[in-house]
Protein backbone atom coordinates (compact mmCIF):
# COMPACT_ATOMS: atom_id res chain seq x y z
CA UNK A 1 0.00 0.00 0.00
CA UNK A 2 1.53 3.34 -1.01
CA UNK A 3 2.14 5.97 1.70
CA UNK A 4 -0.39 8.83 1.99
CA UNK A 5 0.44 12.03 0.17
CA UNK A 6 2.12 14.75 2.24
CA UNK A 7 -0.05 17.64 3.42
CA UNK A 8 -0.05 20.72 1.24
CA UNK A 9 2.67 23.16 2.14
CA UNK A 10 1.40 26.47 3.58
CA UNK A 11 4.69 28.17 2.91
CA UNK A 12 3.89 28.49 -0.77
CA UNK A 13 0.28 29.42 -0.15
CA UNK A 14 0.06 33.19 -0.39
CA UNK A 15 -3.48 33.14 1.01
CA UNK A 16 -2.33 31.55 4.30
CA UNK A 17 -2.28 34.14 7.07
CA UNK A 18 -0.52 34.22 10.42
CA UNK A 19 -3.81 33.46 12.18
CA UNK A 20 -4.09 30.06 10.45
CA UNK A 21 -0.86 28.80 11.99
CA UNK A 22 -0.99 26.27 14.76
CA UNK A 23 -0.42 27.41 18.34
CA UNK A 24 3.21 27.40 19.33
CA UNK A 25 3.57 25.78 22.75
CA UNK A 26 7.02 27.27 23.24
CA UNK A 27 5.72 30.85 23.41
CA UNK A 28 5.59 32.01 27.07
CA UNK A 29 2.18 32.37 28.66
CA UNK A 30 2.61 36.08 29.44
CA UNK A 31 2.87 36.65 25.67
CA UNK A 32 0.27 34.20 24.42
CA UNK A 33 -2.44 35.01 26.99
CA UNK A 34 -4.75 37.89 26.17
CA UNK A 35 -4.65 40.59 28.84
CA UNK A 36 -7.82 41.69 30.57
CA UNK A 37 -7.67 45.28 29.21
CA UNK A 38 -7.59 44.07 25.57
CA UNK A 39 -11.21 42.93 25.77
CA UNK A 40 -12.84 39.71 24.58
CA UNK A 41 -13.51 40.85 21.03
CA UNK A 42 -11.25 39.60 18.24
CA UNK A 43 -10.51 36.73 15.95
CA UNK A 44 -10.95 33.45 17.81
CA UNK A 45 -8.62 31.60 15.43
CA UNK A 46 -5.70 33.99 15.99
CA UNK A 47 -4.45 33.51 19.55
CA UNK A 48 -1.77 36.22 19.09
CA UNK A 49 -4.06 38.93 17.76
CA UNK A 50 -3.49 41.12 20.81
CA UNK A 51 0.25 41.13 20.03
CA UNK A 52 -0.16 42.30 16.44
CA UNK A 53 -0.20 45.91 15.32
CA UNK A 54 -3.76 47.15 15.50
CA UNK A 55 -5.15 49.59 12.98
CA UNK A 56 -6.18 52.66 14.92
CA UNK A 57 -9.22 54.54 13.81
CA UNK A 58 -8.38 58.04 12.72
CA UNK A 59 -10.80 60.20 14.71
CA UNK A 60 -8.75 63.38 14.59
CA UNK A 61 -10.66 64.78 11.63
CA UNK A 62 -14.11 64.14 13.09
CA UNK A 63 -15.98 67.22 14.17
CA UNK A 64 -19.42 68.68 14.17
CA UNK A 65 -20.85 69.97 10.87
CA UNK A 66 -21.62 73.51 11.85
CA UNK A 67 -24.75 74.97 10.39
CA UNK A 68 -25.78 71.80 8.54
CA UNK A 69 -29.54 71.37 8.16
CA UNK A 70 -31.57 68.17 7.83
CA UNK A 71 -33.63 69.38 4.93
CA UNK A 72 -36.06 72.06 3.86
CA UNK A 73 -37.86 73.99 6.57
CA UNK A 74 -41.42 73.15 7.58
CA UNK A 75 -44.28 75.29 6.32
CA UNK A 76 -46.25 75.41 9.54
CA UNK A 77 -45.50 75.21 13.24
CA UNK A 78 -45.21 71.73 14.77
CA UNK A 79 -46.11 70.80 18.29
CA UNK A 80 -43.06 70.60 20.59
CA UNK A 81 -40.88 72.74 18.33
CA UNK A 82 -38.96 75.85 19.36
CA UNK A 83 -41.37 78.69 20.11
CA UNK A 84 -38.92 81.25 18.71
CA UNK A 85 -37.68 79.81 15.37
CA UNK A 86 -39.87 76.72 14.90
CA UNK A 87 -37.09 74.05 14.70
CA UNK A 88 -37.74 70.68 16.31
CA UNK A 89 -34.17 69.98 17.45
CA UNK A 90 -34.08 72.41 20.40
CA UNK A 91 -36.27 74.36 22.83
CA UNK A 92 -36.79 78.09 23.13
CA UNK A 93 -34.26 78.48 26.00
CA UNK A 94 -31.54 76.81 23.89
CA UNK A 95 -32.32 78.73 20.68
CA UNK A 96 -29.38 80.65 19.20
CA UNK A 97 -31.48 82.67 16.77
CA UNK A 98 -32.43 86.30 17.38
CA UNK A 99 -35.30 86.56 19.88
CA UNK A 100 -38.40 87.60 17.98
CA UNK A 101 -41.11 89.91 19.23
CA UNK A 102 -43.62 87.22 18.30
CA UNK A 103 -42.24 83.73 17.85
CA UNK A 104 -42.95 81.25 15.09
CA UNK A 105 -45.42 79.51 17.38
CA UNK A 106 -47.82 82.41 17.14
CA UNK A 107 -47.02 83.84 13.70
CA UNK A 108 -46.26 80.61 11.79
CA UNK A 109 -43.79 82.53 9.58
CA UNK A 110 -40.06 82.13 8.84
CA UNK A 111 -39.79 78.67 10.39
CA UNK A 112 -36.19 77.48 10.42
CA UNK A 113 -35.03 74.06 9.28
CA UNK A 114 -33.96 71.40 11.79
CA UNK A 115 -30.25 71.14 12.61
CA UNK A 116 -28.21 67.97 12.25
CA UNK A 117 -27.48 66.52 15.71
CA UNK A 118 -24.28 64.52 15.60
CA UNK A 119 -22.79 62.23 18.19
CA UNK A 120 -19.05 62.62 17.63
CA UNK A 121 -17.06 60.10 19.66
CA UNK A 122 -13.57 61.47 20.15
CA UNK A 123 -10.57 59.56 21.37
CA UNK A 124 -8.14 60.55 24.09
CA UNK A 125 -5.95 62.66 21.79
CA UNK A 126 -8.86 64.22 19.92
CA UNK A 127 -10.45 65.42 23.15
CA UNK A 128 -7.23 67.20 24.11
CA UNK A 129 -6.48 68.64 20.67
CA UNK A 130 -6.84 72.40 21.09
CA UNK A 131 -7.00 72.93 17.31
CA UNK A 132 -9.60 70.25 16.67
CA UNK A 133 -12.47 71.70 14.66
CA UNK A 134 -10.57 74.85 13.72
CA UNK A 135 -11.21 76.12 10.23
CA UNK A 136 -8.04 77.59 8.66
CA UNK A 137 -10.20 79.71 6.37
CA UNK A 138 -11.11 81.88 9.35
CA UNK A 139 -7.55 83.20 9.50
CA UNK A 140 -7.99 84.68 6.05
CA UNK A 141 -9.83 87.62 7.60
CA UNK A 142 -6.83 88.41 9.81
CA UNK A 143 -4.47 88.36 6.80
CA UNK A 144 -6.78 90.58 4.77
CA UNK A 145 -7.07 93.10 7.62
CA UNK A 146 -3.29 93.19 8.02
CA UNK A 147 -2.76 93.71 4.28
CA UNK A 148 -5.32 96.50 4.28
CA UNK A 149 -3.59 98.31 7.16
CA UNK A 150 -0.24 97.89 5.40
CA UNK A 151 -1.63 99.47 2.22
CA UNK A 152 -3.03 102.41 4.16
CA UNK A 153 0.34 102.89 5.87
CA UNK A 154 2.16 102.88 2.53
CA UNK A 155 -0.31 105.38 1.07
CA UNK A 156 0.20 107.69 4.03
CA UNK A 157 3.99 107.50 3.75
CA UNK A 158 3.74 108.15 -0.01
CA UNK A 159 1.83 111.38 0.52
CA UNK A 160 4.45 112.53 3.03
CA UNK A 161 7.23 111.78 0.58
CA UNK A 162 5.56 113.92 -2.13
CA UNK A 163 5.21 116.83 0.30
CA UNK A 164 8.74 116.54 1.69
CA UNK A 165 10.59 116.12 -1.62
CA UNK A 166 14.24 115.42 -0.94
CA UNK A 167 13.65 114.76 2.74
CA UNK A 168 11.35 111.91 1.80
CA UNK A 169 14.05 110.31 -0.32
CA UNK A 170 16.52 110.40 2.60
CA UNK A 171 13.96 108.81 4.94
CA UNK A 172 13.35 106.06 2.36
CA UNK A 173 17.09 105.38 2.16
CA UNK A 174 17.31 105.23 5.97
CA UNK A 175 14.35 102.88 6.06
CA UNK A 176 15.99 100.53 3.55
CA UNK A 177 19.27 100.63 5.47
CA UNK A 178 17.42 99.71 8.68
CA UNK A 179 15.73 96.77 7.00
CA UNK A 180 19.09 95.57 5.70
CA UNK A 181 20.58 95.23 9.22
CA UNK A 182 17.39 94.18 10.97
CA UNK A 183 16.97 90.73 12.45
CA UNK A 184 14.10 88.44 11.66
CA UNK A 185 11.87 87.70 14.65
CA UNK A 186 9.99 84.51 15.47
CA UNK A 187 6.87 85.51 13.56
CA UNK A 188 8.78 86.34 10.39
CA UNK A 189 8.47 90.11 10.76
CA UNK A 190 11.44 92.44 10.71
CA UNK A 191 12.20 94.43 13.82
CA UNK A 192 14.35 97.53 13.71
CA UNK A 193 17.61 97.31 15.61
CA UNK A 194 17.48 100.99 16.59
CA UNK A 195 14.58 100.53 19.00
CA UNK A 196 15.73 97.19 20.33
CA UNK A 197 19.32 98.01 21.22
CA UNK A 198 19.61 100.80 23.80
CA UNK A 199 23.37 100.45 24.37
CA UNK A 200 26.07 101.13 21.83
CA UNK A 201 27.82 97.94 20.86
CA UNK A 202 31.28 99.50 21.17
CA UNK A 203 30.80 100.45 24.84
CA UNK A 204 32.57 98.24 27.37
CA UNK A 205 30.29 96.56 29.86
CA UNK A 206 30.56 97.80 33.43
CA UNK A 207 31.46 94.42 34.86
CA UNK A 208 34.46 94.25 32.49
CA UNK A 209 36.00 97.59 33.47
CA UNK A 210 37.65 96.20 36.57
CA UNK A 211 38.37 92.52 37.29
CA UNK A 212 40.15 93.12 40.61
CA UNK A 213 38.35 91.35 43.45
CA UNK A 214 39.58 93.88 46.01
CA UNK A 215 38.27 96.84 44.09
CA UNK A 216 34.80 98.29 43.45
CA UNK A 217 32.13 95.65 42.98
CA UNK A 218 29.43 95.69 40.31
CA UNK A 219 25.93 94.62 41.27
CA UNK A 220 24.29 93.13 38.15
CA UNK A 221 20.79 93.36 39.63
CA UNK A 222 20.82 97.13 40.13
CA UNK A 223 23.53 97.75 37.48
CA UNK A 224 25.50 99.99 39.83
CA UNK A 225 28.86 99.97 41.61
CA UNK A 226 28.13 99.05 45.21
CA UNK A 227 31.54 99.46 46.85
CA UNK A 228 33.93 102.39 46.97
CA UNK A 229 36.96 100.21 47.56
CA UNK A 230 38.64 101.26 44.31
CA UNK A 231 41.47 103.74 44.61
CA UNK A 232 43.02 104.73 41.30
CA UNK A 233 41.66 102.82 38.35
CA UNK A 234 38.82 102.97 35.85
CA UNK A 235 36.37 101.46 38.30
CA UNK A 236 37.20 104.13 40.88
CA UNK A 237 36.56 106.88 38.33
CA UNK A 238 33.29 105.23 37.31
CA UNK A 239 32.15 104.94 40.93
CA UNK A 240 33.06 108.53 41.67
CA UNK A 241 31.20 109.69 38.58
CA UNK A 242 28.08 107.71 39.50
CA UNK A 243 28.21 108.98 43.09
CA UNK A 244 28.56 112.56 41.90
CA UNK A 245 25.62 112.23 39.53
CA UNK A 246 23.50 110.60 42.20
CA UNK A 247 24.19 113.29 44.81
CA UNK A 248 23.92 116.37 42.57
CA UNK A 249 21.17 118.24 40.79
CA UNK A 250 17.60 117.03 40.85
CA UNK A 251 18.62 113.52 41.92
CA UNK A 252 19.42 114.66 45.46
CA UNK A 253 16.19 116.65 45.70
CA UNK A 254 14.22 113.66 44.48
CA UNK A 255 15.74 111.45 47.17
CA UNK A 256 14.93 114.03 49.85
CA UNK A 257 11.32 114.29 48.65
CA UNK A 258 10.95 110.51 48.58
CA UNK A 259 12.41 110.19 52.09
CA UNK A 260 10.07 112.92 53.39
CA UNK A 261 7.01 111.16 51.92
CA UNK A 262 8.03 107.83 53.47
CA UNK A 263 8.65 109.34 56.93
CA UNK A 264 5.38 111.27 56.82
CA UNK A 265 3.45 108.14 55.93
CA UNK A 266 5.19 106.09 58.63
CA UNK A 267 4.63 108.65 61.42
CA UNK A 268 1.11 109.88 60.76
CA UNK A 269 -0.25 107.26 58.37
CA UNK A 270 -1.12 109.98 55.84
CA UNK A 271 -0.93 108.53 52.32
CA UNK A 272 -2.06 111.71 50.53
CA UNK A 273 1.55 112.91 50.14
CA UNK A 274 2.61 110.06 47.91
CA UNK A 275 5.66 110.91 45.80
CA UNK A 276 4.27 109.45 42.57
CA UNK A 277 0.51 109.78 43.10
CA UNK A 278 0.49 113.36 44.46
CA UNK A 279 3.91 115.02 44.12
CA UNK A 280 2.52 118.57 44.32
CA UNK A 281 1.10 118.09 47.82
CA UNK A 282 4.33 116.52 49.03
CA UNK A 283 6.42 119.41 47.68
CA UNK A 284 4.06 122.00 49.20
CA UNK A 285 4.08 120.50 52.69
CA UNK A 286 7.84 119.91 52.55
CA UNK A 287 8.43 123.55 51.66
CA UNK A 288 6.02 124.70 54.38
CA UNK A 289 7.75 122.56 57.01
CA UNK A 290 11.16 123.82 55.93
CA UNK A 291 10.01 127.44 56.30
CA UNK A 292 8.55 126.77 59.77
CA UNK A 293 11.80 125.13 60.90
CA UNK A 294 13.77 128.13 59.64
CA UNK A 295 11.47 130.51 61.54
CA UNK A 296 11.85 128.50 64.75
CA UNK A 297 15.64 128.47 64.41
CA UNK A 298 15.74 132.24 63.84
CA UNK A 299 13.46 132.89 66.83
CA UNK A 300 15.60 130.65 69.07
CA UNK A 301 18.78 132.42 67.96
CA UNK A 302 17.21 135.83 68.60
CA UNK A 303 16.12 134.78 72.10
CA UNK A 304 19.66 133.64 72.93
CA UNK A 305 21.12 136.88 71.65
CA UNK A 306 18.67 138.94 73.70
CA UNK A 307 19.47 136.95 76.83
CA UNK A 308 23.27 136.83 76.55
CA UNK A 309 23.99 140.12 74.82
CA UNK A 310 24.05 139.21 71.18
CA UNK A 311 27.17 139.89 69.11
CA UNK A 312 29.03 141.71 71.92
CA UNK A 313 29.97 138.49 73.71
CA UNK A 314 30.38 136.35 70.63
CA UNK A 315 33.65 134.47 70.38
CA UNK A 316 35.71 134.95 67.21
CA UNK A 317 35.28 132.26 64.65
CA UNK A 318 38.98 131.29 64.61
CA UNK A 319 39.11 131.02 68.40
CA UNK A 320 35.81 129.14 68.54
CA UNK A 321 37.09 126.53 66.09
CA UNK A 322 40.36 126.09 67.96
CA UNK A 323 38.69 125.76 71.38
CA UNK A 324 38.84 122.37 73.01
CA UNK A 325 36.26 121.46 75.60
CA UNK A 326 38.01 120.10 78.71
CA UNK A 327 36.74 118.82 82.04
CA UNK A 328 38.35 117.91 85.37
CA UNK A 329 35.85 115.16 85.99
CA UNK A 330 37.44 111.70 85.95
CA UNK A 331 35.44 109.04 84.15
CA UNK A 332 36.35 105.35 84.17
CA UNK A 333 34.75 102.77 81.93
CA UNK A 334 34.37 99.04 82.49
CA UNK A 335 34.76 96.16 80.03
CA UNK A 336 31.22 96.60 78.70
CA UNK A 337 31.85 100.25 77.83
CA UNK A 338 29.68 101.62 80.65
CA UNK A 339 30.69 104.24 83.20
CA UNK A 340 31.80 102.69 86.48
CA UNK A 341 29.68 103.71 89.45
CA UNK A 342 26.90 105.15 87.32
CA UNK A 343 23.38 104.01 88.25
CA UNK A 344 22.08 101.31 85.97
CA UNK A 345 19.29 102.45 83.75
CA UNK A 346 16.45 99.99 83.35
CA UNK A 347 15.96 98.82 79.80
CA UNK A 348 12.96 100.35 78.10
CA UNK A 349 10.37 98.12 76.50
CA UNK A 350 8.11 98.85 73.56
CA UNK A 351 5.14 98.03 75.80
CA UNK A 352 3.60 100.48 78.28
CA UNK A 353 5.27 100.27 81.70
CA UNK A 354 4.51 101.54 85.24
CA UNK A 355 0.91 102.42 84.46
CA UNK A 356 -1.09 102.11 87.69
CA UNK A 357 -4.86 101.83 87.54
CA UNK A 358 -7.60 101.99 90.21
CA UNK A 359 -5.39 103.67 92.86
CA UNK A 360 -2.81 100.86 92.83
CA UNK A 361 0.86 101.60 93.55
CA UNK A 362 2.16 98.45 91.84
CA UNK A 363 1.37 96.66 88.60
CA UNK A 364 -0.54 93.44 88.12
CA UNK A 365 1.83 90.49 88.48
CA UNK A 366 4.11 92.14 91.06
CA UNK A 367 3.04 89.64 93.76
CA UNK A 368 2.81 85.83 93.73
CA UNK A 369 1.19 83.56 96.31
CA UNK A 370 -0.43 80.12 96.17
CA UNK A 371 0.18 79.85 92.41
CA UNK A 372 -1.70 83.09 91.73
CA UNK A 373 -0.62 86.50 90.49
CA UNK A 374 -1.79 89.70 92.15
CA UNK A 375 -0.94 93.22 93.29
CA UNK A 376 1.91 93.69 95.78
CA UNK A 377 0.36 96.86 97.22
CA UNK A 378 -2.86 95.27 98.54
CA UNK A 379 -2.37 91.49 98.01
CA UNK A 380 -5.40 91.32 95.74
CA UNK A 381 -5.72 88.47 93.24
CA UNK A 382 -8.48 90.15 91.21
CA UNK A 383 -7.18 92.00 88.15
CA UNK A 384 -8.37 95.61 87.64
CA UNK A 385 -9.79 95.65 91.19
CA UNK A 386 -9.69 98.77 93.37
CA UNK A 387 -6.68 99.02 95.68
CA UNK A 388 -7.35 98.64 99.47
CA UNK A 389 -3.76 99.30 100.60
CA UNK A 390 -2.54 98.08 104.03
CA UNK A 391 -6.03 97.06 105.08
CA UNK A 392 -6.14 94.62 102.20
CA UNK A 393 -2.80 93.15 103.34
CA UNK A 394 -4.08 92.69 106.92
CA UNK A 395 -7.29 91.13 105.68
CA UNK A 396 -5.33 88.71 103.48
CA UNK A 397 -3.02 87.76 106.39
CA UNK A 398 -5.98 87.09 108.67
CA UNK A 399 -7.72 85.00 106.04
CA UNK A 400 -4.51 83.05 105.41
CA UNK A 401 -4.08 82.32 109.14
CA UNK A 402 -7.67 81.17 109.41
CA UNK A 403 -7.25 78.97 106.32
CA UNK A 404 -4.06 77.28 107.52
CA UNK A 405 -4.91 77.26 111.29
CA UNK A 406 -1.87 79.31 112.29
CA UNK A 407 -3.68 80.86 115.33
CA UNK A 408 -4.33 77.43 116.87
CA UNK A 409 -0.69 76.42 116.42
CA UNK A 410 0.48 79.55 118.27
CA UNK A 411 -1.82 78.95 121.32
CA UNK A 412 -0.90 75.28 121.85
CA UNK A 413 2.85 75.77 122.66
CA UNK A 414 2.02 78.26 125.46
CA UNK A 415 -0.26 75.74 127.20
CA UNK A 416 2.34 72.97 126.85
CA UNK A 417 5.02 75.19 128.44
CA UNK A 418 2.82 75.77 131.52
CA UNK A 419 2.18 72.02 131.94
CA UNK A 420 5.92 71.26 131.66
CA UNK A 421 6.76 73.83 134.35
CA UNK A 422 4.25 72.30 136.78
CA UNK A 423 5.58 68.79 136.15
CA UNK A 424 9.16 69.88 136.79
CA UNK A 425 8.22 71.52 140.08
CA UNK A 426 6.38 68.40 141.27
CA UNK A 427 9.22 65.95 140.44
CA UNK A 428 11.91 65.51 143.14
CA UNK A 429 15.44 66.31 142.15
CA UNK A 430 17.32 63.29 140.86
CA UNK A 431 21.02 62.74 141.37
CA UNK A 432 23.04 62.46 138.29
CA UNK A 433 24.32 58.95 137.64
CA UNK A 434 27.88 58.21 138.52
CA UNK A 435 30.15 58.00 135.57
CA UNK A 436 31.85 54.63 135.19
CA UNK A 437 35.59 54.43 135.14
CA UNK A 438 37.75 52.74 132.49
CA UNK A 439 38.54 49.79 134.80
CA UNK A 440 34.85 49.14 135.46
CA UNK A 441 34.07 49.25 131.75
CA UNK A 442 36.93 46.85 130.89
CA UNK A 443 36.25 44.50 133.83
CA UNK A 444 32.65 43.78 132.92
CA UNK A 445 29.58 43.53 135.19
CA UNK A 446 30.05 42.09 138.67
CA UNK A 447 27.63 39.78 140.49
CA UNK A 448 26.65 42.50 142.95
CA UNK A 449 25.77 44.97 140.19
CA UNK A 450 23.73 42.33 138.34
CA UNK A 451 21.82 41.45 141.54
CA UNK A 452 21.09 45.11 142.23
CA UNK A 453 19.81 45.54 138.64
CA UNK A 454 17.45 42.58 139.04
CA UNK A 455 16.01 43.93 142.26
CA UNK A 456 15.44 47.42 140.85
CA UNK A 457 14.06 46.28 137.48
CA UNK A 458 10.31 46.65 137.13
CA UNK A 459 8.40 44.22 135.04
CA UNK A 460 5.76 45.68 132.76
CA UNK A 461 3.36 42.87 133.44
CA UNK A 462 3.80 42.99 137.24
CA UNK A 463 0.42 43.83 138.87
CA UNK A 464 2.16 45.30 141.91
CA UNK A 465 4.47 47.60 139.93
CA UNK A 466 2.25 50.60 140.45
CA UNK A 467 2.59 50.30 144.25
CA UNK A 468 6.39 50.50 144.25
CA UNK A 469 7.65 53.59 146.09
CA UNK A 470 4.30 54.31 147.76
CA UNK A 471 3.90 53.99 151.54
CA UNK A 472 0.12 53.70 151.36
CA UNK A 473 -1.74 50.65 152.74
CA UNK A 474 -4.02 48.78 150.42
CA UNK A 475 -7.41 48.17 151.97
Amino acid sequence: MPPPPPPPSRRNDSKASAASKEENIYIPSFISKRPFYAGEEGDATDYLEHQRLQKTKDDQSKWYDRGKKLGPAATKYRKGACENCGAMTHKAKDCLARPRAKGAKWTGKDIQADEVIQDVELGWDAKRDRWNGYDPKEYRRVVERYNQMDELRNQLSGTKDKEGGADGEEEEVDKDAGEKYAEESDMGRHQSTATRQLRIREDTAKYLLNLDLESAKYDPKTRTMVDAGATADKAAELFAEEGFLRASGDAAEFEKAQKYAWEKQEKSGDTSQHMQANPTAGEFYRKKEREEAEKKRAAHLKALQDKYGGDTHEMPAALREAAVTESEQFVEYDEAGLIKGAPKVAAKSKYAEDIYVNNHTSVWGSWWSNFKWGYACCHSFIKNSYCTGEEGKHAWEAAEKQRTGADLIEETPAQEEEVDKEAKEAEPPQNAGKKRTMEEMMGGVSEAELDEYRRKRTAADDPMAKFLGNDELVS
Side-chain angles (χ1 to χ4, degrees):
M1 183 177 180
S9 176
R10 294 180 180 177
R11 186 169 300 179
N12 299 330
D13 189 3
S14 59
K15 296 182 181 180
S17 61
S20 61
K21 292 182 179 180
E22 296 179 359
E23 183 176 356
N24 190 351
I25 61 174
Y26 299 103
I27 296 178
S29 61
F30 68 88
I31 295 178
S32 61
K33 285 185 178 180
R34 190 180 188 88
F36 69 94
Y37 53 82
E40 299 296 335
E41 299 178 359
D43 190 2
T45 59
D46 188 6
Y47 69 98
L48 291 177
E49 183 187 8
H50 59 278
Q51 295 287 351
R52 307 189 193 285
L53 184 62
Q54 305 293 330
K55 293 183 179 180
T56 57
K57 298 178 181 179
D58 188 13
D59 56 354
Q60 297 289 334
S61 60
K62 290 182 180 180
W63 198 248
Y64 303 95
D65 293 333
R66 298 178 182 176
K68 189 176 181 181
K69 305 293 183 180
L70 283 175
T75 56
K76 63 178 182 179
Y77 181 78
R78 295 160 293 178
K79 186 178 180 181
C82 176
E83 298 178 356
N84 185 45
C85 66
M88 288 289 294
T89 51
H90 61 269
K91 297 297 181 181
K93 64 178 182 179
D94 300 327
C95 185
L96 299 178
R98 177 182 58 83
R100 305 180 186 179
K102 290 184 178 181
K105 180 179 179 180
W106 294 276
T107 60
K109 297 178 181 179
D110 195 14
I111 297 177
Q112 300 295 323
D114 300 341
E115 297 93 351
V116 176
I117 299 178
Q118 295 173 302
D119 187 12
V120 180
E121 297 181 359
L122 301 176
W124 193 90
D125 293 329
K127 286 180 180 178
R128 289 156 181 80
D129 186 9
R130 61 191 303 180
W131 293 101
N132 196 2
Y134 175 74
D135 189 5
K137 297 178 182 178
E138 295 179 0
Y139 190 70
R140 190 176 301 170
R141 301 177 186 175
V142 181
V143 176
E144 290 175 356
R145 189 182 301 120
Y146 176 80
N147 293 334
Q148 187 178 4
M149 293 298 295
D150 200 10
E151 290 177 1
L152 292 175
R153 195 180 299 109
N154 293 336
Q155 291 177 6
L156 184 61
S157 62
T159 56
K160 286 185 177 180
D161 292 345
K162 291 179 182 179
E163 294 176 0
D167 296 338
E169 295 178 0
E170 292 179 1
E171 290 179 0
E172 188 69 25
V173 172
D174 295 340
K175 180 181 178 183
D176 296 340
E179 290 289 337
K180 185 188 299 183
Y181 297 106
E183 295 181 3
E184 188 174 355
S185 62
D186 297 338
M187 300 301 293
R189 295 179 57 191
H190 289 283
Q191 185 179 11
S192 176
T193 56
T195 58
R196 185 169 48 84
Q197 298 173 359
L198 302 178
R199 183 175 62 85
I200 303 174
R201 305 294 294 179
E202 287 76 15
D203 287 349
T204 307
K206 285 186 179 181
Y207 57 86
L208 295 177
L209 289 177
N210 181 26
L211 301 178
D212 186 8
L213 298 178
E214 302 298 329
S215 182
K217 298 176 179 60
Y218 173 74
D219 184 14
K221 190 170 185 180
T222 58
R223 299 183 180 180
T224 55
M225 310 300 288
V226 295
D227 189 11
T231 54
D233 54 1
K234 263 191 173 182
E237 296 175 2
L238 180 62
F239 184 83
E241 182 182 357
E242 285 190 354
F244 173 74
L245 293 176
R246 193 180 296 111
S248 62
D250 294 337
E253 286 297 322
F254 178 80
E255 287 188 2
K256 292 179 182 178
Q258 183 70 69
K259 185 178 179 182
Y260 173 78
W262 286 341
E263 291 178 352
K264 203 71 175 178
Q265 182 177 354
E266 185 178 357
K267 290 179 180 178
S268 62
D270 185 13
T271 58
S272 61
Q273 302 181 24
H274 197 275
M275 184 59 190
Q276 283 75 31
N278 196 0
T280 308
E283 184 65 24
F284 173 75
Y285 285 109
R286 192 163 70 96
K287 184 178 180 182
K288 183 179 179 181
E289 186 175 337
R290 191 163 55 245
E291 291 176 355
E292 290 178 356
E294 187 66 25
K295 288 180 182 178
K296 287 182 181 179
R297 192 186 66 82
H300 181 65
L301 181 61
K302 187 175 182 304
L304 291 177
Q305 289 178 354
D306 294 342
K307 185 175 182 179
Y308 296 106
D311 300 335
T312 56
H313 300 285
E314 187 177 359
M315 186 184 299
L319 185 60
R320 186 171 60 251
E321 292 175 0
V324 178
T325 56
E326 295 180 356
S327 175
E328 296 295 333
Q329 184 180 3
F330 177 74
V331 180
E332 187 177 358
Y333 296 90
D334 58 3
E335 294 82 0
L338 303 176
I339 300 175
K340 286 186 176 181
K344 291 186 177 180
V345 181
K348 290 288 184 180
S349 173
K350 68 176 182 178
Y351 303 102
E353 295 182 357
D354 300 333
I355 296 179
Y356 307 121
V357 295
N358 296 336
N359 204 28
H360 284 285
T361 57
S362 60
V363 296
W364 167 261
S366 58
W367 184 61
W368 167 266
S369 178
N370 295 333
F371 299 95
K372 292 182 181 178
W373 291 105
Y375 294 97
C377 55
C378 61
H379 289 188
S380 174
F381 294 112
I382 303 173
K383 192 175 183 180
N384 295 330
S385 62
Y386 194 80
C387 184
T388 55
E390 295 295 330
E391 295 180 0
K393 287 185 179 181
H394 296 326
W396 177 83
E397 291 175 359
E400 194 69 16
K401 287 180 179 179
Q402 186 176 3
R403 184 180 68 84
T404 58
D407 294 338
L408 300 176
I409 296 173
E410 291 177 358
E411 293 176 359
T412 304
Q415 298 175 358
E416 291 180 355
E417 288 178 0
E418 294 177 358
V419 174
D420 292 342
K421 288 181 180 179
E422 293 177 358
K424 287 181 180 180
E425 291 176 357
E427 290 180 359
Q430 297 179 357
N431 295 329
K434 183 181 177 182
K435 191 174 182 180
R436 299 173 62 187
T437 60
M438 188 65 179
E439 290 78 5
E440 293 176 351
M441 293 175 64
M442 296 297 292
V445 182
S446 61
E447 290 293 335
E449 291 177 348
L450 186 61
D451 185 48
E452 185 181 0
Y453 168 73
R454 288 188 185 126
R455 283 189 288 105
K456 290 182 178 180
R457 185 181 60 177
T458 58
D461 55 348
D462 187 1
M464 303 299 291
K466 61 182 180 180
F467 297 105
L468 291 176
N470 295 335
D471 296 336
E472 297 178 1
L473 294 176
V474 180
S475 57

